[in-house]
Amino acid sequence: ALGFTWRSSSNWIPAGFCACDLDRTAGDRAMTKVSPQDFSGVSRTQLMELFEQENRANTEKLEALGGLEKLIANLHTHPTKGISGDDIEQRIAAFGGNFFAEKKLTPYWQYCLNAMQDHVLILLTVMATLTLVTALLSDHTAEELPEPIALYMSVFLIVNVTSYIDWSRERMFVEVSKKLLQSNTKTVIRNGEPVLLADREIVVGDVVSFNAHNAQSIPADGILLQGVDVKIDESSLTGEPDAIKKDAETPFIIAGSTVSTGSGKMLVTCVGESSVGGRIKAAVYSADAEESEGSPMTLKLEKLAHNISFFGLAVSALCLFGMIIIQFGVNGDTKTWWPDLTRFIITAITILAVVVPEGLPFAVTLSLAFSARRLGTLSNLVKELKSCETMGSATTICSDKTGTLTANRMTVRGAYVAGISHMPDSAESEPIGIRIKQKTSEAVKDILGRLLCICTMDESSLGAPGENVFKGNPTECALLVLAESLGYDYRKVRAETKGRSEQTLKDGKVIMFSSARKMMSWAVPKEDGGWRIYCKGASEVVMSRCTKTQASESGEDMVATALEPEAVTQIEETVIHAFASKAMRTIGVAYRDFDSKPDFDAVSSTITNQDGTPAQEVETELTLIGIMGIEDPLRPEVPGAIEKCYTAGIDVRMVTGDNLETAVAIAKACGILRDEHFAINETGGPPQMKKFRAMEGKEFRTYVHQTVNGEQVFNQDKFDEIWPYLRVLARSSPEDKLTLAKGLNASMLFKNTERCQQLEKEGIKIFPDRQVVAMTGDGTNDAPALKKADVGFAMGQAGTQVAKDAADIVLLKDNFADIVVAALWGRNVYESISKFVQFQLTVNIVAVTVAVVGAFYKQDSPLAATQMLWVNLIMDSLASLALATEPPTEDMLRRPPVNRSKSMITKSMWTNMLGHALYQAVVLLFLLFAFPDIGGMPQGTDYVKGLHYFKNVDWMPEEAKNSCLYLDPDWEATAEWPDKNEPRPCTDTKIQERYAQCVDDPDRDEQDDEYKCSYFGGDHKYWKPNPTKAPSLHYTIIFNTFVVMTLFNEINSRKLHGEVNVFHNITANPYFASIFVLIALFQGIVGAIPLGEGGRFIKVYGDGMGGMYWLMALLIGLGVLVWQQIFVNIVKKIVVPAAEL
C-alpha cells in the first residue's frame, strides 16, 4: 500500500499515511472559483517538466515546486475532495484541455485533385482538349465546339460528385470518433463526490480514481495520491514489458498507460497535448492515418472490377481498330481523317469509361458509411466500417450474460445468512434486508453489513438516498443497497474503518478481484488487536475455501461451527441450486480472523485458484457468513432478438462467469436453450440436458486441450466434436472466449460431409462454409478474443477502455438486441451492393452491345460520348447512392447468412441481368435499324431531315393536307411564313428551289436510297448531308429510350430474390425516390424540350423529340417492369428451377 507524506525537509520518504494526510487547508481554495492568473504559482511548462526524466529526477523537480502539498495548493484542488467544478474554463485556459486540436480535414479541392487521377478521366480530358483544338481549327467551329465543352462538363460533374461523397465521408468519421471519445469515461472526485466524466472533460487539478478491476487506461499525466498495490503497464509508451510499481518513490503516472494491479487516486497535472502521450501523438498527428485493409467483399468486388475493366479495355481497343480499318481501309474515306480519328478515339475511351465499374468500391464505401451512420443512431458505435459488412455474414454470436442479455440492474432477492434461508419466492413481503435483520443476531448482522461496505471498490457507490442510482460495478452496488437496508452507511463504515478509509489505506490490504481467483478480499486491523480479512466471490469458490460456517445463535457473540461435507452438500442443493434455478447469481461472503498481521505473500500448498495457480494463504480456512442470491432481470427484448437470430441461421452461445445452473436458467428464459436441447427423462422427471449443450469452463478446457511435452495444446478435432452442440459455457474465463473464437474461426467441419449428415439427423445443420464469429466482451482480458473474432463487440457502459479499443463495434447500451440490429444492417450492406452490381452490369452489357454494333456498322456509336458519360454518372454516382441507401427489411433475417466464398453474382442475378439486357438490347437495336423507316426519319447522323410532303393523311388537320413541311434547320422565316415549322403549299418557290439544289448536288449519290431528292408523289423526303454531325432525332430517341429503360430497371434492381412486388418499401428510402424523380426530370429536359443549339452539348436533337416519342420511350420503359414480372413468374419459376437460383 502506498503511504507517504511531505516533510518540511522536503524529502520523499515512506510514511504511515497517504497524501490525503496533507494539510487540508492547503486545498480548501479548490472550492472557490478562480481565474487563470490565480494559477501563477505553477505553469504548464513546469508541470510538463515533471514527466521528462527518470522518476528520481522528477521528484527533485517536484521538490523545487515546493512539494506535493504546495502543488495541490497552487492548483487549487484538494487531495480528497478534488476541485469544485466551477472553474473548468479557467483551468483549460491556464493548462489546456484533455483533448487535441482537431486534425485539419482534407480540403475539398484535394479530393477533386485525387479524383482527377483516375486514368479514364485523364484520357477523356486529353481527348476533350484535342477535340477542342480540332473544333477551333475547323470551318464548323460553332457546330463542333459544344462537344468538347460537354466532355469537360461531364468530367467536371463526375469529379465533383465523387469528391463530395469522399469529403462527406471524412467528416462522418470525425463524428464517429467524437462519439467514441464520449464513451471513454473515468471516475473523478469533485466537491467530494465521485462523478463519471468523459476523458476530454478531465482538467488539471482533478482527482481521478482508478483500479485494475476495470483495467482503466490513464487519461492524463498525474501524481499518485494514494494507492494499494498499484502497478502500471507503460509498454505502449515506453516499451517496458513489465508493469511498473507506483508508490512514494515512483508516484508519476503517464497518460495512455494501463492499470495492471491495485487501485488508487491520482492528481491530474498534465492533460491533452501537454501529457507525455499527448506530446508523442502531437508529433505524429499530421501523418495520414493508416488505411484499414479492405473487407472480404471489398476485395472480391475489386477483383470483379479488375476483370471487367480488362474486358472493357479489350472491347474498346477492338472497337477503335475496327472503326479505323472500316472507315480508312474498307471505305477508303480519308478526307476528314483527323476529325474522324479523334471521334473514334473518344468513342473507344467512352466505351471504356462505361464498362469500367469504377462505382463498385465507391458504392461499397457509401453503403458501409451509410449503415455505420444509421447504426450510430441505433446504439451501435462502429469503429471499423468493414465490420458492418462482416456482421451481415455472422453465423455465430458468443454473448456475455450480464448486462447484455440481462438489464445489469442487480438486486439481492434471496439470501442464506448464518444457516437461515431467505428465499425469493417467500410469502413474506418485507425486503430481504428487513428479513435478515429480523432473523439474524446483531453480531452476524454487523459482520455482514461491514463486509459489504468494506469489501467493495471505491468506484462502486450509490446516489443520494432515494435516487436509486448505481455507479460502478452493478453487483457491488446491489450489495451496498443490502448493506443500507441492514442499517449500514457504506460511506461512514469505510471512513471509520482503519485500513479502509482514504487516510489509512496503507494500514490495510486489498486483494482485487481477478478472473483467475473469482473473488476479492480486503484485510483490515481489528480494534481489539489482530486482523480480519473480508472475502466475497463466486459462491462455489468461496465455499471451497471455507472450513467453518457462522451459526445462527442470537446474541452479541458470534459462534462458528465446522463446515462438514454434508452441510456443504445441503447448502449447494437447497440454496445455491435453488437460487441458480431462478436465474440468480450467487455470491458467497466469508471472513477470517488472525491474531497478528498475516503474511499476504504466502500461498497455499493444497488449494489452487481457478486457473490452477496456488491460492493465497490468507484466502483459505474462511468462515462462511452466507450466500447472496442476486437477480439481474432479463432484458424484455432479448428473447425476440434471439428468436430472430435462429430464424436467420445465426447460432447464439452464452459465455458467462456465472455458475452453470444460473446460466442454464437464463439461457432457457431467453431462448438460447430450446426444447430440442433437452431429452425426455425416462424416469418421468423434468427433461434432461443433452450432452455438450451446456458446459463449465473447466470441463471445456480439459476436453479441447491435450498435453504435449508437458504443455496444454489446443486440439481442433476435439473442439469440432463439441462446438456444434454447445450453447452455454458457464464459469468461463477470458481464455475460454479466445479458444472459442479461434476454434470456431478455424473449424473446417463443414467439409466433413459424413459428420454433417450425421449432425443433420440430430437436428443440427452446419453452415456450409467457415464460421463467421461475433464476440462480446467487457473486460480487459476479453481484448484478445474481441480481436480474434471476425466482429468484436465491446460494452459501452460496462466495458473497459482496453476492450473498447480492441473491439470493432461498441454497444452503447450493452444490449444484445443491438447486436441483431447490426446483423440486419450488415446483411443490408451486402444486399445493397448486390443490387448495385446487378443494376450496373445490366447497363454495361446493353451500352457495350449498342456501342459495339454502332461502331462496326456506322463507325459511330449511337450513344455519344457525353451521353454515355451521363449514363456513367447515373450508374456510378446516383444509382449507387439510391441503391446503397436502401433500408433493411425483416425478410433479410429470414434468410441464411452469405457464405464467405460465395460469388458476388448469383445465378438469380445473372438471370436478371441477362434477361433485362436482352430486352433492352433488342429494343435499342430495333430502334437503330428498323425505326427510321417506320418513323420517317434519317438514320444516324449522316443526314438531316429536310422536305417532307404530307398527302391526305387522316390524322392531319385540314389546313395541313396537301402541304409541305420544311424541317431544314437552316430555313429562315419570311414575312409571309414567319413560322418555319408551319405547313406550306408545295408550290412554294423556296421549296422548289431547294429541290433543284438537291438534284444538282454533285455529291449526291443517286444509288444511295438514304440520300435522294423527292418532291411530288410517293415518299417525299429531302435529306441533306450533315458534315458537322449535328445531333439527330434518330439517335436522340435511342438515347432517351435507353435512359428511361435504365431508370425503370433501377426499380427492378431493388429486388434480388425473385420478389414480385418490386415497389415494396420504396417509400422508406427518400434518396431513391428523389434520385428517380431528378433523373426523370433532367432526361425530360434534354430529350423532350427543344434546346436549339444547346442540344449539341449533350448530343440531342435541337428541336426536341416531341411528346409522341417521349410517350413511346415511357411505354417501353414501363415494359421493363412488365418484363420483370414475366421473368419472375415464368422464366425463373418454370424454365429455370427456383432451387438452382
Side-chain angles (χ1 to χ4, degrees):
L2 169 65
F4 57 85
T5 184
W6 188 254
R7 296 285 183 87
S8 58
S9 59
S10 298
N11 291 318
W12 285 98
I13 60 171
F17 52 93
C18 65
C20 47
D21 283 325
L22 298 168
D23 180 11
R24 302 308 173 92
T25 61
D28 287 341
R29 284 180 292 168
M31 304 299 124
T32 306
K33 191 171 182 179
V34 296
S35 58
Q37 54 266 31
D38 291 327
F39 295 111
S40 56
V42 62
S43 68
R44 184 193 305 198
T45 301
Q46 289 174 312
L47 293 176
M48 292 169 62
E49 290 175 349
L50 291 175
F51 296 86
E52 288 182 347
Q53 301 176 10
E54 297 297 329
N55 278 284
R56 175 58 63 182
N58 291 346
T59 57
E60 293 173 357
K61 290 185 177 182
L62 183 58
E63 292 179 32
L65 293 178
L68 181 59
E69 181 176 350
K70 183 66 174 178
L71 178 61
I72 290 174
N74 287 335
L75 292 179
H76 301 279
T77 186
H78 194 282
T80 58
K81 297 179 181 179
I83 65 174
S84 65
D86 296 331
D87 55 355
I88 302 301
E89 293 182 2
Q90 287 76 16
R91 291 178 182 274
I92 293 176
F95 303 107
N98 200 25
F99 45 81
F100 297 87
E102 293 188 1
K103 183 179 179 180
K104 187 177 180 181
L105 299 178
T106 305
Y108 184 78
W109 65 266
Q110 185 66 51
Y111 282 114
C112 292
L113 186 62
N114 294 339
M116 276 300 301
Q117 307 303 312
D118 181 82
H119 62 280
V120 176
L121 291 181
I122 292 174
L123 288 174
L124 286 172
T125 304
V126 171
M127 292 315 302
T129 303
L130 292 176
T131 308
L132 176 62
V133 174
T134 302
L136 293 174
L137 299 176
S138 171
D139 295 333
H140 306 280
T141 300
E143 293 83 359
E144 296 180 4
L145 196 58
E147 182 171 7
I149 295 176
L151 286 172
Y152 284 128
M153 291 177 62
S154 299
V155 171
F156 174 81
L157 189 58
I158 293 173
V159 166
N160 277 275
V161 169
T162 304
S163 300
Y164 176 75
I165 296 297
D166 289 339
W167 180 83
S168 301
R169 183 183 62 178
E170 183 184 30
R171 279 141 185 83
M172 187 206 70
F173 281 134
V174 172
E175 292 180 15
V176 171
S177 299
K178 288 181 178 178
K179 287 183 179 179
L180 186 60
L181 289 175
Q182 286 297 322
S183 70
N184 300 338
T185 57
K186 301 293 182 294
T187 300
V188 179
I189 310 300
R190 287 188 179 175
N191 274 326
E193 293 292 331
V195 294
L196 203 61
L197 296 179
D199 286 359
R200 64 180 291 113
E201 298 177 45
I202 295 173
V203 296
V204 171
D206 267 324
V207 175
V208 175
S209 177
F210 60 84
N211 66 72
H213 179 63
N214 291 332
Q216 290 179 318
S217 59
I218 300 300
D221 291 350
I223 299 174
L224 189 65
L225 292 176
Q226 66 179 60
V228 179
D229 292 336
V230 177
K231 289 186 179 181
I232 304 293
D233 179 4
E234 299 179 353
S235 58
S236 61
L237 293 167
T238 65
E240 173 61 46
D242 298 325
I244 299 173
K245 185 178 181 180
K246 297 296 177 180
D247 52 21
E249 298 297 325
T250 57
F252 300 97
I253 303 175
I254 56 178
S257 55
T258 305
V259 184
S260 297
T261 62
S263 63
K265 292 182 174 65
M266 59 171 271
L267 171 67
V268 174
T269 56
C270 295
V271 294
E273 296 181 7
S274 300
S275 66
V276 173
R279 278 174 274 172
I280 296 174
K281 184 175 181 179
V284 297
Y285 203 34
S286 58
D288 293 333
E290 182 181 353
E291 292 290 335
S292 60
E293 182 183 355
S295 65
M297 184 179 72
T298 305
L299 298 176
K300 199 182 327 183
L301 285 173
E302 288 177 352
K303 183 178 180 180
L304 174 65
H306 173 76
N307 293 336
I308 296 175
S309 299
F310 182 81
F311 170 77
L313 184 63
V315 171
S316 60
L318 178 64
C319 290
L320 175 61
F321 290 117
M323 288 185 289
I324 291 174
I325 292 171
I326 293 174
Q327 179 74 2
F328 303 144
V330 177
N331 296 339
D333 186 359
T334 59
K335 290 185 296 183
T336 56
W337 71 272
W338 174 248
D340 288 340
L341 180 61
T342 303
R343 179 165 50 85
F344 295 162
I345 295 176
I346 291 178
T347 301
I349 294 174
T350 307
I351 291 174
L352 178 62
V354 173
V355 174
V356 173
E358 296 164 308
L360 281 177
F362 167 72
V364 171
T365 301
L366 180 63
S367 183
L368 290 173
F370 176 75
S371 297
R373 184 185 291 272
R374 289 301 306 272
L375 283 171
T377 65
L378 299 171
S379 302
N380 282 264
L381 183 57
V382 179
K383 294 174 55 186
E384 291 286 342
L385 279 184
K386 64 181 181 180
S387 62
C388 292
E389 168 219 327
T390 307
M391 191 59 207
S393 300
T395 59
T396 293
I397 299 175
C398 299
S399 174
D400 288 327
K401 176 186 76 69
T402 303
T404 308
L405 299 174
T406 60
N408 206 19
R409 186 66 188 179
M410 306 291 189
T411 305
V412 179
R413 290 288 311 281
Y416 169 85
V417 179
I420 300 176
S421 296
H422 306 274
M423 304 306 291
D425 53 358
S426 172
E428 300 179 56
S429 58
E430 292 87 356
I432 188 70
I434 301 299
R435 283 187 273 161
I436 293 175
K437 288 174 64 176
Q438 292 174 346
K439 298 183 179 181
T440 306
S441 68
E442 284 296 320
V444 173
K445 183 191 72 171
D446 182 71
I447 194 171
L448 174 61
R450 294 181 63 80
L451 183 150
L452 299 178
C453 295
I454 293 171
C455 194
T456 44
M457 297 181 295
D458 288 343
E459 288 76 16
S460 299
S461 60
L462 307 176
E467 286 186 0
N468 198 29
V469 176
F470 284 9
K471 297 179 182 178
N473 185 281
T475 300
E476 292 194 337
C477 289
L479 296 177
L480 293 179
V481 170
L482 176 60
E484 286 194 341
S485 67
L486 293 174
Y488 292 82
D489 183 342
Y490 71 93
R491 298 178 183 85
K492 183 178 180 181
V493 172
R494 290 176 180 175
E496 294 177 351
T497 301
K498 185 178 182 180
R500 183 62 180 87
S501 67
E502 292 185 349
Q503 295 82 2
T504 62
L505 275 178
K506 54 86 187 165
D507 292 326
K509 174 69 175 181
V510 61
I511 307 175
M512 297 298 291
F513 175 89
S514 70
S515 57
R517 292 167 35 254
K518 291 193 178 296
M519 62 187 301
M520 172 186 177
S521 303
W522 204 305
V524 296
K526 296 168 61 178
E527 294 181 0
D528 56 353
W531 280 65
R532 173 172 290 169
I533 187 169
Y534 297 102
C535 305
K536 76 176 194 309
S539 56
E540 68 274 17
V541 174
V542 172
M543 286 270 291
S544 67
R545 306 289 180 89
C546 291
T547 57
K548 299 179 182 179
T549 180
Q550 191 62 51
S552 58
E553 286 84 352
S554 61
E556 295 297 326
D557 297 328
M558 294 187 298
V559 179
T561 60
L563 184 62
E564 303 294 342
E566 296 79 8
V568 172
T569 302
Q570 182 182 8
I571 294 173
E572 289 176 345
E573 293 179 353
T574 61
V575 178
I576 296 178
H577 292 178
F579 288 168
S581 65
K582 298 182 183 301
M584 287 191 291
R585 167 179 285 182
T586 54
I587 301 295
V589 291
Y591 74 98
R592 178 181 176 182
D593 287 335
F594 299 89
D595 294 332
S596 60
K597 184 177 181 180
D599 182 1
F600 293 107
D601 295 326
V603 295
S604 172
S605 59
T606 58
I607 300 176
T608 59
N609 293 316
Q610 292 289 294
D611 64 348
T613 58
Q616 292 181 259
E617 184 67 37
V618 293
E619 292 183 327
T620 63
E621 299 183 19
L622 304 176
T623 299
L624 179 68
I625 299 175
I627 306 293
M628 304 295 119
I630 300 179
E631 182 184 65
D632 185 10
L634 190 69
R635 291 181 184 267
E637 63 272 20
V638 164
I642 290 176
E643 181 62 33
K644 288 182 180 179
C645 287
Y646 279 116
T647 303
I650 304 173
D651 287 333
V652 181
R653 294 175 169 84
M654 179 196 293
V655 186
T656 177
D658 278 342
N659 68 46
L660 187 60
E661 285 189 86
T662 302
V664 168
I666 287 289
K668 289 168 64 177
C670 66
I672 292 177
L673 287 175
R674 302 149 74 94
D675 292 342
E676 60 263 30
H677 299 130
F678 296 86
I680 298 176
N681 193 332
E682 296 180 357
T683 63
Q688 295 179 330
M689 182 83 66
K690 292 181 179 179
K691 188 177 181 181
F692 294 143
R693 269 57 175 189
M695 302 177 71
E696 287 192 338
K698 185 176 182 180
E699 179 188 4
F700 171 77
R701 290 188 291 274
T702 302
Y703 198 92
V704 302
H705 289 85
Q706 62 183 15
T707 303
V708 178
N709 296 327
E711 295 184 2
Q712 291 293 304
V713 179
F714 175 72
N715 188 322
Q716 183 68 48
D717 292 336
K718 300 293 286 184
F719 181 84
D720 286 345
E721 289 180 14
I722 64 172
W723 75 257
Y725 303 106
L726 187 63
R727 288 296 175 271
V728 176
L729 186 60
R731 288 301 185 213
S732 65
S733 67
E735 289 75 19
D736 294 334
K737 283 188 175 182
L738 181 59
T739 300
L740 269 177
K742 286 182 176 179
L744 288 169
N745 215 298
S747 178
M748 293 295 176
L749 181 62
F750 67 94
K751 292 184 176 181
N752 189 336
T753 306
E754 183 179 349
R755 178 76 196 288
C756 290
Q757 291 175 348
Q758 178 187 349
L759 288 169
E760 194 162 357
K761 291 179 182 178
E762 300 180 47
I764 300 173
K765 189 172 182 179
I766 300 299
F767 187 72
D769 206 336
R770 285 175 50 212
Q771 295 286 308
V772 179
V773 184
M775 179 77 69
T776 70
D778 53 12
T780 296
N781 290 341
D782 291 333
L786 295 178
K787 276 288 188 184
K788 183 62 180 177
D790 294 284
V791 183
F793 287 88
M795 303 299 109
Q797 296 177 352
T800 65
Q801 186 58 51
V802 176
K804 293 178 187 178
D805 291 340
D808 301 296
I809 299 176
V810 178
L811 296 176
L812 299 180
K813 294 183 179 179
D814 297 5
N815 194 340
F816 179 87
D818 293 332
I819 301 177
V820 182
V821 171
L824 174 62
W825 276 90
R827 293 190 176 192
N828 186 63
V829 168
Y830 192 91
E831 292 223 350
S832 295
I833 301 306
S834 298
K835 292 171 185 177
F836 174 69
V837 169
Q838 177 177 274
F839 170 78
Q840 184 178 35
L841 294 187
T842 303
V843 179
N844 283 0
I845 295 170
V846 177
V848 170
T849 300
V850 175
V852 170
V853 171
F856 280 95
Y857 177 66
K858 298 285 292 181
Q859 291 77 63
D860 188 21
S861 172
L863 299 173
T866 50
Q867 292 173 346
M868 283 200 282
L869 288 175
W870 163 238
V871 173
N872 201 39
L873 180 64
I874 295 175
M875 289 190 299
D876 284 356
S877 300
L878 299 180
S880 62
L881 180 60
L883 294 173
T885 54
E886 282 281 290
T889 63
E890 290 297 324
D891 289 339
M892 294 178 183
L893 291 178
R894 299 187 182 98
R895 293 189 285 269
V898 178
N899 294 13
R900 285 178 185 259
S901 56
K902 184 177 181 180
S903 172
M904 189 75 194
I905 305 177
T906 64
K907 292 182 179 180
S908 180
M909 291 171 63
W910 273 118
T911 304
N912 288 336
M913 291 187 298
L914 295 178
H916 283 289
L918 174 66
Y919 174 89
Q920 295 181 38
V922 168
V923 168
L924 294 179
L925 292 177
F926 172 80
L927 293 178
L928 177 62
F929 292 109
F931 190 71
D933 291 334
I934 298 174
M937 64 184 66
Q939 188 181 61
T941 58
D942 290 338
Y943 310 99
V944 292
K945 192 170 183 179
L947 184 65
H948 193 95
Y949 175 80
F950 293 101
K951 237 176 150 105
N952 295 325
V953 184
D954 293 338
W955 56 265
M956 291 186 62
E958 272 308 314
E959 61 272 16
K961 291 180 179 180
N962 292 314
S963 59
C964 296
L965 179 62
Y966 191 68
L967 298 179
D968 190 338
D970 295 334
W971 178 269
E972 295 180 359
T974 63
E976 184 180 3
W977 301 105
D979 185 355
K980 68 178 183 178
N981 291 321
E982 183 179 350
R984 311 178 184 206
C986 293
T987 56
D988 183 83
T989 307
K990 197 75 172 177
I991 293 177
Q992 295 181 16
E993 291 176 359
R994 289 286 184 176
Y995 175 71
Q997 292 173 4
C998 177
V999 174
D1000 296 336
D1001 188 347
D1003 294 330
R1004 180 173 64 86
D1005 184 0
E1006 294 185 1
Q1007 302 302 317
D1008 189 348
D1009 291 336
E1010 291 188 353
Y1011 185 14
K1012 57 189 176 182
C1013 299
S1014 301
Y1015 190 44
F1016 295 111
D1019 185 19
H1020 299 285
K1021 298 180 180 178
Y1022 173 41
W1023 294 347
K1024 74 167 193 173
N1026 182 25
T1028 63
K1029 298 298 180 181
S1032 70
L1033 176 62
H1034 181 210
Y1035 281 0
T1036 301
I1037 291 173
I1038 292 176
F1039 167 60
N1040 188 67
T1041 305
F1042 177 45
V1043 172
V1044 172
M1045 288 192 297
T1046 298
L1047 189 60
F1048 278 99
N1049 192 43
E1050 195 171 336
I1051 298 176
N1052 290 329
S1053 297
R1054 297 181 63 249
K1055 304 300 177 183
L1056 298 169
H1057 307 284
E1059 296 92 333
V1060 174
N1061 184 6
V1062 295
F1063 293 96
H1064 175 67
N1065 212 34
I1066 195 170
T1067 56
N1069 185 5
Y1071 294 99
F1072 187 95
S1074 302
I1075 290 172
F1076 187 91
V1077 172
L1078 177 65
I1079 296 174
L1081 288 176
F1082 187 85
Q1083 192 61 29
I1085 293 174
V1086 301
I1089 299 177
L1091 300 176
E1093 289 299 317
R1096 288 179 177 269
F1097 286 94
I1098 199 169
K1099 289 292 185 177
V1100 294
Y1101 191 51
D1103 290 338
M1105 291 191 311
M1108 181 178 68
Y1109 292 129
W1110 230 106
L1111 178 61
M1112 179 188 73
L1114 184 62
L1115 293 175
I1116 293 174
L1118 290 171
V1120 171
L1121 300 177
V1122 177
W1123 184 252
Q1124 170 75 7
Q1125 299 306 311
I1126 294 174
F1127 253 72
V1128 169
N1129 294 293
I1130 299 178
V1131 178
K1132 287 187 178 181
K1133 294 184 178 179
I1134 298 177
V1135 179
V1136 183
E1140 293 183 6
L1141 300 180

